[in-house]
């Protein structure tokens, strides 16, 4: 079946440190891959996505590249800020799927950035 | 309008009460979703509506009853809930059609069952 595995948290970094959150997946077909972020007390927001192999998604300084050969979609940011403190979810939808995207989430990684 | 609006934000109910959660979007999305999220866990899919028809029910107990009155509204009717049903309930919407579509989530309704 389809699944997503993320590195366990919590991850604690100092401001301006480099961030990597690992995500690997198992899927049949050609999944689309997503990173969602959940700030405290809020719902989930899309951070970035990639829909085919070698695509790079980017937003707000975050990047992730769809690597089919390693079935990975690791999230990176060169210099984190306190405001990046949140829970990050890696997710996929398997295609073809013609009734809307059924997201399969990883377990989430909590990031805490200290000043 | 690029938002999904959920009401109420907080709800406390007894095990014999009947209540409803509401969700509204005006983005022209034709797929709408209910997710349940426990603390420090990923959201779990409950129901999917596509073009106002229920397309996925993830074996959710019948004490949860979804309803999609029109393309902009989604309700979740609650009856005879258990304390373990306490959670954050998230509504989401997307363009229907392919798995590459992005889900837009609401801020959630935090439910406490006493």
């Amino acid at each position: 079946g389809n699944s997503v595995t993320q590195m366990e948290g919590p991850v604690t970094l100092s401001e301006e440190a480099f961030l990597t959150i690992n995500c690997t997946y198992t899927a049949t077909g050609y999944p689309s891959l997503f990173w969602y972020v959940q700030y405290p007390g809020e719902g989930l927001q899309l951070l970035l996505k990639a829909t085919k192999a070698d695509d790079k998604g980017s937003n707000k300084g975050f990047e992730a590249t769809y690597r089919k050969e390693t079935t990975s979609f690791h999230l990176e940011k060169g210099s984190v800020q306190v405001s990046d403190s949140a829970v990050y979810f890696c997710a996929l939808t398997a295609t073809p799927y013609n009734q809307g995207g059924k997201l399969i989430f990883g377990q989430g990684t909590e990031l805490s950035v200290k000043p | 309008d690029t938002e999904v609006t959920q009401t109420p934000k907080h709800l406390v109910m007894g095990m014999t009460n009947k209540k409803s959660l509401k969700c509204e979007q005006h983005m022209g999305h034709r797929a709408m979703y209910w997710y349940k999220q426990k603390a420090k866990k990923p959201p779990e899919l409950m129901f999917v509506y596509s073009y106002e028809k229920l397309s996925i029910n993830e074996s959710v107990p019948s004490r949860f009853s979804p309803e999609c009155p029109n393309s902009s509204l989604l309700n979740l009717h609650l009856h005879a809930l258990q304390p373990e049903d306490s959670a954050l309930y998230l509504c989401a919407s997307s363009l229907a059609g392919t798995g590459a579509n992005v889900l837009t989530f609401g801020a959630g309704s935090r439910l406490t069952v006493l």
Side-chain angles (χ1 to χ4, degrees):
Chain A
N2 299 325
S3 66
V4 176
T5 302
Q6 282 181 244
M7 64 186 284
E8 289 190 20
V11 173
T12 302
L13 295 174
S14 297
E15 209 165 21
E16 299 185 2
F18 185 86
L19 169 70
T20 299
I21 300 178
N22 290 337
C23 171
T24 57
Y25 67 90
T26 302
T28 54
Y30 302 95
S32 295
L33 302 173
F34 305 83
W35 278 100
Y36 280 84
V37 58
Q38 187 172 29
Y39 297 103
E42 298 185 12
L44 278 71
Q45 302 174 25
L46 177 73
L47 184 58
L48 52 84
K49 75 171 188 178
T51 58
K52 62 183 187 298
D54 300 324
D55 268 1
K56 178 187 281 189
S58 61
N59 185 26
K60 300 182 182 179
F62 290 89
E63 293 184 340
T65 301
Y66 188 146
R67 302 282 187 204
K68 194 166 174 62
E69 64 275 13
T70 54
T71 61
S72 65
F73 193 53
H74 304 320
L75 183 68
E76 296 182 336
K77 186 175 185 183
S79 176
V80 294
Q81 305 300 311
V82 172
S83 56
D84 293 326
S85 298
V87 180
Y88 292 80
F89 292 99
C90 185
L92 67 81
T93 59
T95 57
Y97 184 69
N98 61 2
Q99 293 182 317
K102 179 177 175 179
L103 277 174
I104 295 168
F105 288 97
Q107 287 302 303
T109 302
E110 183 178 7
L111 170 66
S112 178
V113 180
K114 307 296 185 188
Chain B
D1 189 350
T2 57
E3 286 187 343
V4 173
T5 303
Q6 290 188 243
T7 56
K9 291 194 185 311
H10 299 275
L11 178 63
V12 179
M13 60 187 291
M15 289 190 285
T16 58
N17 292 157
K18 284 186 182 180
K19 297 286 185 183
S20 297
L21 305 180
K22 298 185 183 301
C23 175
E24 189 168 4
Q25 58 87 16
H26 296 287
M27 294 178 281
H29 289 173
R30 301 307 295 274
M32 296 187 77
Y33 312 75
W34 281 114
Y35 282 83
K36 173 183 177 181
Q37 187 180 27
K38 297 284 241 181
K40 298 190 183 296
K41 296 291 187 184
E44 301 170 19
L45 183 64
M46 301 174 72
F47 303 104
V48 181
Y49 274 83
S50 182
Y51 294 94
E52 295 91 68
K53 287 185 170 33
L54 184 64
S55 60
I56 294 179
N57 177 341
E58 292 287 296
S59 302
V60 178
S62 60
R63 57 186 184 269
F64 295 92
S65 175
E67 178 196 19
C68 190
N70 60 53
S71 61
S72 299
L73 294 174
L74 185 66
N75 298 321
L76 186 63
H77 302 298
L78 313 171
H79 175 53
L81 295 193
Q82 304 297 310
E84 60 265 28
D85 297 322
S86 298
L88 182 68
Y89 288 84
L90 294 165
C91 175
S93 68
S94 74
L95 294 170
T98 76
N101 291 321
V102 171
L103 269 65
T104 301
F105 284 85
S109 293
R110 187 163 299 282
L111 173 66
T112 302
V113 182
L114 301 176

